[in-house]
Amino acid sequence: MSTCTAEAFGALHHGRAPGDPLVLPGPWDAASARVFEEAGFPALATPSAGVAAALGHADGSVPPREMFDAIGRVARAVSVPVSADVEDGYGLPARKLVGRLLDAGVVGCNLEDSWGRKDAPAGTLKDPREQADYLAAVREVAGRELFVNARVDTYLRGAADFDETVARARLYVEAGADCVYVIKAPVEVLPALRAAIGAPLNVLCPPGGPSPQELGRLGATRVTFGPGLHHRAMEALSDIAKELA
């Protein structure tokens, strides 16, 4: 099980050269986590969609208890630090959310600023100040025990306004976020985003897109894959199954 602290995990995000981002594969279970650790990656970041698929759920439909149990199994399976995608926090108050994350053994989390719960208007952006207040509450409870990655969903939700994206990101950093994840931002805006936000930038590496190193040269501090690696693994398994059949 990982014994790394959130501060040590956070240190991996700083002092990186252009073209050398922190690459964080996304395990969906304990077995895949061990594969990535054995390959030499210094840390991992669970994707909510990949974990959901492994548990037999649609993305956004995993009962919170199942999600925390799953990320706990990942964290216990490896010695490297693990950050967890916990979507919009599942409606949990900050104290309960932080407690469950720490109990699971992770050192970081993603929190997105669009609604994901079944009882909320799915696919809509949250009020940025309300989200900033939530992030501030998480920071206050967690202290430095969690590295908080604030996801900005403007490009994902069709509200791709650069100024609003930057304004949201800055609010979240002021509230205590350690890193900002502007999911699905076009690669051509990454240099401007990094310069305008002035904080570590998480970038999604899409299938067939620029390499992690190229994304690093464009401004990515860290690179994650969402459910992409799970999809590739399932495609490979499908090919094996077809051969066997």
PDB file of all heavy atoms in Angstrom, residues 53-75:
ATOM      1  N   ALA A  53     -16.865   1.252 -15.508  1.00  0.00           N
ATOM      2  CA  ALA A  53     -16.991   0.154 -16.464  1.00  0.00           C
ATOM      3  C   ALA A  53     -16.556  -1.166 -15.843  1.00  0.00           C
ATOM      4  O   ALA A  53     -17.198  -2.209 -16.041  1.00  0.00           O
ATOM      5  CB  ALA A  53     -16.167   0.456 -17.711  1.00  0.00           C
ATOM      6  N   ALA A  54     -15.466  -1.135 -15.073  1.00  0.00           N
ATOM      7  CA  ALA A  54     -14.974  -2.358 -14.436  1.00  0.00           C
ATOM      8  C   ALA A  54     -15.964  -2.894 -13.405  1.00  0.00           C
ATOM      9  O   ALA A  54     -16.015  -4.103 -13.158  1.00  0.00           O
ATOM     10  CB  ALA A  54     -13.623  -2.095 -13.781  1.00  0.00           C
ATOM     11  N   LEU A  55     -16.752  -1.996 -12.833  1.00  0.00           N
ATOM     12  CA  LEU A  55     -17.737  -2.398 -11.832  1.00  0.00           C
ATOM     13  C   LEU A  55     -19.092  -2.734 -12.447  1.00  0.00           C
ATOM     14  O   LEU A  55     -20.029  -3.097 -11.731  1.00  0.00           O
ATOM     15  CB  LEU A  55     -17.907  -1.285 -10.791  1.00  0.00           C
ATOM     16  CG  LEU A  55     -16.704  -1.003  -9.895  1.00  0.00           C
ATOM     17  CD1 LEU A  55     -16.960   0.231  -9.035  1.00  0.00           C
ATOM     18  CD2 LEU A  55     -16.380  -2.202  -9.011  1.00  0.00           C
ATOM     19  N   GLY A  56     -19.204  -2.559 -13.766  1.00  0.00           N
ATOM     20  CA  GLY A  56     -20.464  -2.880 -14.435  1.00  0.00           C
ATOM     21  C   GLY A  56     -21.482  -1.763 -14.447  1.00  0.00           C
ATOM     22  O   GLY A  56     -22.680  -2.004 -14.650  1.00  0.00           O
ATOM     23  N   HIS A  57     -21.013  -0.520 -14.270  1.00  0.00           N
ATOM     24  CA  HIS A  57     -21.909   0.636 -14.260  1.00  0.00           C
ATOM     25  C   HIS A  57     -21.590   1.575 -15.416  1.00  0.00           C
ATOM     26  O   HIS A  57     -20.476   1.569 -15.958  1.00  0.00           O
ATOM     27  CB  HIS A  57     -21.753   1.428 -12.952  1.00  0.00           C
ATOM     28  CG  HIS A  57     -22.173   0.687 -11.730  1.00  0.00           C
ATOM     29  ND1 HIS A  57     -23.490   0.481 -11.396  1.00  0.00           N
ATOM     30  CD2 HIS A  57     -21.445   0.104 -10.735  1.00  0.00           C
ATOM     31  CE1 HIS A  57     -23.558  -0.189 -10.250  1.00  0.00           C
ATOM     32  NE2 HIS A  57     -22.334  -0.435  -9.832  1.00  0.00           N
ATOM     33  N   ALA A  58     -22.558   2.407 -15.760  1.00  0.00           N
ATOM     34  CA  ALA A  58     -22.301   3.516 -16.669  1.00  0.00           C
ATOM     35  C   ALA A  58     -21.555   4.603 -15.923  1.00  0.00           C
ATOM     36  O   ALA A  58     -21.669   4.719 -14.689  1.00  0.00           O
ATOM     37  CB  ALA A  58     -23.617   4.065 -17.222  1.00  0.00           C
ATOM     38  N   ASP A  59     -20.782   5.402 -16.654  1.00  0.00           N
ATOM     39  CA  ASP A  59     -20.068   6.510 -16.014  1.00  0.00           C
ATOM     40  C   ASP A  59     -21.071   7.444 -15.349  1.00  0.00           C
ATOM     41  O   ASP A  59     -22.109   7.778 -15.912  1.00  0.00           O
ATOM     42  CB  ASP A  59     -19.267   7.283 -17.074  1.00  0.00           C
ATOM     43  CG  ASP A  59     -18.361   8.338 -16.454  1.00  0.00           C
ATOM     44  OD1 ASP A  59     -17.996   8.190 -15.272  1.00  0.00           O
ATOM     45  OD2 ASP A  59     -18.012   9.294 -17.166  1.00  0.00           O
ATOM     46  N   GLY A  60     -20.767   7.824 -14.123  1.00  0.00           N
ATOM     47  CA  GLY A  60     -21.662   8.707 -13.379  1.00  0.00           C
ATOM     48  C   GLY A  60     -22.742   7.990 -12.605  1.00  0.00           C
ATOM     49  O   GLY A  60     -23.547   8.642 -11.930  1.00  0.00           O
ATOM     50  N   SER A  61     -22.777   6.660 -12.691  1.00  0.00           N
ATOM     51  CA  SER A  61     -23.847   5.906 -12.026  1.00  0.00           C
ATOM     52  C   SER A  61     -23.357   4.983 -10.921  1.00  0.00           C
ATOM     53  O   SER A  61     -24.128   4.188 -10.390  1.00  0.00           O
ATOM     54  CB  SER A  61     -24.613   5.063 -13.062  1.00  0.00           C
ATOM     55  OG  SER A  61     -25.215   5.891 -14.032  1.00  0.00           O
ATOM     56  N   VAL A  62     -22.079   5.078 -10.571  1.00  0.00           N
ATOM     57  CA  VAL A  62     -21.543   4.203  -9.530  1.00  0.00           C
ATOM     58  C   VAL A  62     -22.008   4.689  -8.154  1.00  0.00           C
ATOM     59  O   VAL A  62     -21.816   5.857  -7.820  1.00  0.00           O
ATOM     60  CB  VAL A  62     -20.001   4.177  -9.564  1.00  0.00           C
ATOM     61  CG1 VAL A  62     -19.465   3.238  -8.487  1.00  0.00           C
ATOM     62  CG2 VAL A  62     -19.501   3.752 -10.934  1.00  0.00           C
ATOM     63  N   PRO A  63     -22.602   3.829  -7.352  1.00  0.00           N
ATOM     64  CA  PRO A  63     -22.908   4.228  -5.976  1.00  0.00           C
ATOM     65  C   PRO A  63     -21.624   4.647  -5.266  1.00  0.00           C
ATOM     66  O   PRO A  63     -20.588   3.978  -5.417  1.00  0.00           O
ATOM     67  CB  PRO A  63     -23.508   2.958  -5.357  1.00  0.00           C
ATOM     68  CG  PRO A  63     -24.040   2.188  -6.526  1.00  0.00           C
ATOM     69  CD  PRO A  63     -23.087   2.460  -7.646  1.00  0.00           C
ATOM     70  N   PRO A  64     -21.634   5.746  -4.531  1.00  0.00           N
ATOM     71  CA  PRO A  64     -20.405   6.232  -3.901  1.00  0.00           C
ATOM     72  C   PRO A  64     -19.653   5.175  -3.103  1.00  0.00           C
ATOM     73  O   PRO A  64     -18.425   5.095  -3.174  1.00  0.00           O
ATOM     74  CB  PRO A  64     -20.893   7.375  -3.013  1.00  0.00           C
ATOM     75  CG  PRO A  64     -22.114   7.884  -3.709  1.00  0.00           C
ATOM     76  CD  PRO A  64     -22.760   6.669  -4.300  1.00  0.00           C
ATOM     77  N   ARG A  65     -20.365   4.345  -2.353  1.00  0.00           N
ATOM     78  CA  ARG A  65     -19.686   3.320  -1.546  1.00  0.00           C
ATOM     79  C   ARG A  65     -18.862   2.388  -2.443  1.00  0.00           C
ATOM     80  O   ARG A  65     -17.723   2.034  -2.111  1.00  0.00           O
ATOM     81  CB  ARG A  65     -20.699   2.506  -0.743  1.00  0.00           C
ATOM     82  CG  ARG A  65     -20.046   1.428   0.144  1.00  0.00           C
ATOM     83  CD  ARG A  65     -21.120   0.565   0.785  1.00  0.00           C
ATOM     84  NE  ARG A  65     -21.907   1.336   1.724  1.00  0.00           N
ATOM     85  CZ  ARG A  65     -21.609   1.498   3.007  1.00  0.00           C
ATOM     86  NH1 ARG A  65     -20.519   0.926   3.502  1.00  0.00           N
ATOM     87  NH2 ARG A  65     -22.386   2.204   3.799  1.00  0.00           N
ATOM     88  N   GLU A  66     -19.418   2.017  -3.600  1.00  0.00           N
ATOM     89  CA  GLU A  66     -18.681   1.142  -4.519  1.00  0.00           C
ATOM     90  C   GLU A  66     -17.442   1.839  -5.068  1.00  0.00           C
ATOM     91  O   GLU A  66     -16.382   1.217  -5.231  1.00  0.00           O
ATOM     92  CB  GLU A  66     -19.581   0.690  -5.661  1.00  0.00           C
ATOM     93  CG  GLU A  66     -20.618  -0.349  -5.284  1.00  0.00           C
ATOM     94  CD  GLU A  66     -21.274  -0.956  -6.507  1.00  0.00           C
ATOM     95  OE1 GLU A  66     -20.563  -1.326  -7.452  1.00  0.00           O
ATOM     96  OE2 GLU A  66     -22.521  -1.045  -6.515  1.00  0.00           O
ATOM     97  N   MET A  67     -17.573   3.129  -5.373  1.00  0.00           N
ATOM     98  CA  MET A  67     -16.426   3.860  -5.914  1.00  0.00           C
ATOM     99  C   MET A  67     -15.309   3.955  -4.886  1.00  0.00           C
ATOM    100  O   MET A  67     -14.134   3.699  -5.198  1.00  0.00           O
ATOM    101  CB  MET A  67     -16.853   5.257  -6.360  1.00  0.00           C
ATOM    102  CG  MET A  67     -15.711   6.106  -6.946  1.00  0.00           C
ATOM    103  SD  MET A  67     -14.963   5.379  -8.432  1.00  0.00           S
ATOM    104  CE  MET A  67     -16.233   5.754  -9.656  1.00  0.00           C
ATOM    105  N   PHE A  68     -15.644   4.315  -3.654  1.00  0.00           N
ATOM    106  CA  PHE A  68     -14.603   4.428  -2.627  1.00  0.00           C
ATOM    107  C   PHE A  68     -13.978   3.072  -2.311  1.00  0.00           C
ATOM    108  O   PHE A  68     -12.768   2.983  -2.073  1.00  0.00           O
ATOM    109  CB  PHE A  68     -15.161   5.088  -1.369  1.00  0.00           C
ATOM    110  CG  PHE A  68     -15.450   6.557  -1.543  1.00  0.00           C
ATOM    111  CD1 PHE A  68     -16.752   7.037  -1.556  1.00  0.00           C
ATOM    112  CD2 PHE A  68     -14.416   7.471  -1.719  1.00  0.00           C
ATOM    113  CE1 PHE A  68     -17.027   8.384  -1.727  1.00  0.00           C
ATOM    114  CE2 PHE A  68     -14.673   8.823  -1.901  1.00  0.00           C
ATOM    115  CZ  PHE A  68     -15.983   9.282  -1.905  1.00  0.00           C
ATOM    116  N   ASP A  69     -14.785   2.013  -2.331  1.00  0.00           N
ATOM    117  CA  ASP A  69     -14.224   0.674  -2.125  1.00  0.00           C
ATOM    118  C   ASP A  69     -13.244   0.325  -3.244  1.00  0.00           C
ATOM    119  O   ASP A  69     -12.169  -0.238  -3.006  1.00  0.00           O
ATOM    120  CB  ASP A  69     -15.341  -0.375  -2.079  1.00  0.00           C
ATOM    121  CG  ASP A  69     -16.130  -0.346  -0.776  1.00  0.00           C
ATOM    122  OD1 ASP A  69     -15.674   0.318   0.173  1.00  0.00           O
ATOM    123  OD2 ASP A  69     -17.197  -0.982  -0.729  1.00  0.00           O
ATOM    124  N   ALA A  70     -13.604   0.687  -4.484  1.00  0.00           N
ATOM    125  CA  ALA A  70     -12.761   0.354  -5.634  1.00  0.00           C
ATOM    126  C   ALA A  70     -11.445   1.113  -5.602  1.00  0.00           C
ATOM    127  O   ALA A  70     -10.375   0.540  -5.841  1.00  0.00           O
ATOM    128  CB  ALA A  70     -13.517   0.644  -6.935  1.00  0.00           C
ATOM    129  N   ILE A  71     -11.499   2.401  -5.303  1.00  0.00           N
ATOM    130  CA  ILE A  71     -10.249   3.162  -5.282  1.00  0.00           C
ATOM    131  C   ILE A  71      -9.399   2.752  -4.081  1.00  0.00           C
ATOM    132  O   ILE A  71      -8.162   2.812  -4.138  1.00  0.00           O
ATOM    133  CB  ILE A  71     -10.493   4.684  -5.318  1.00  0.00           C
ATOM    134  CG1 ILE A  71     -11.256   5.177  -4.099  1.00  0.00           C
ATOM    135  CG2 ILE A  71     -11.212   5.078  -6.600  1.00  0.00           C
ATOM    136  CD1 ILE A  71     -11.462   6.692  -4.077  1.00  0.00           C
ATOM    137  N   GLY A  72     -10.050   2.298  -3.020  1.00  0.00           N
ATOM    138  CA  GLY A  72      -9.289   1.777  -1.887  1.00  0.00           C
ATOM    139  C   GLY A  72      -8.521   0.527  -2.253  1.00  0.00           C
ATOM    140  O   GLY A  72      -7.369   0.339  -1.838  1.00  0.00           O
ATOM    141  N   ARG A  73      -9.136  -0.345  -3.065  1.00  0.00           N
ATOM    142  CA  ARG A  73      -8.440  -1.559  -3.495  1.00  0.00           C
ATOM    143  C   ARG A  73      -7.244  -1.210  -4.378  1.00  0.00           C
ATOM    144  O   ARG A  73      -6.182  -1.845  -4.285  1.00  0.00           O
ATOM    145  CB  ARG A  73      -9.410  -2.482  -4.244  1.00  0.00           C
ATOM    146  CG  ARG A  73     -10.422  -3.165  -3.341  1.00  0.00           C
ATOM    147  CD  ARG A  73     -11.170  -4.273  -4.045  1.00  0.00           C
ATOM    148  NE  ARG A  73     -12.059  -3.758  -5.091  1.00  0.00           N
ATOM    149  CZ  ARG A  73     -13.311  -3.385  -4.887  1.00  0.00           C
ATOM    150  NH1 ARG A  73     -13.836  -3.436  -3.666  1.00  0.00           N
ATOM    151  NH2 ARG A  73     -14.057  -2.958  -5.883  1.00  0.00           N
ATOM    152  N   VAL A  74      -7.395  -0.197  -5.225  1.00  0.00           N
ATOM    153  CA  VAL A  74      -6.279   0.255  -6.060  1.00  0.00           C
ATOM    154  C   VAL A  74      -5.142   0.770  -5.183  1.00  0.00           C
ATOM    155  O   VAL A  74      -3.979   0.395  -5.344  1.00  0.00           O
ATOM    156  CB  VAL A  74      -6.737   1.339  -7.051  1.00  0.00           C
ATOM    157  CG1 VAL A  74      -5.530   2.014  -7.716  1.00  0.00           C
ATOM    158  CG2 VAL A  74      -7.652   0.755  -8.114  1.00  0.00           C
ATOM    159  N   ALA A  75      -5.471   1.649  -4.233  1.00  0.00           N
ATOM    160  CA  ALA A  75      -4.437   2.242  -3.382  1.00  0.00           C
ATOM    161  C   ALA A  75      -3.708   1.192  -2.554  1.00  0.00           C
ATOM    162  O   ALA A  75      -2.489   1.300  -2.338  1.00  0.00           O
ATOM    163  CB  ALA A  75      -5.056   3.309  -2.477  1.00  0.00           C
TER     164      ALA A  75
END
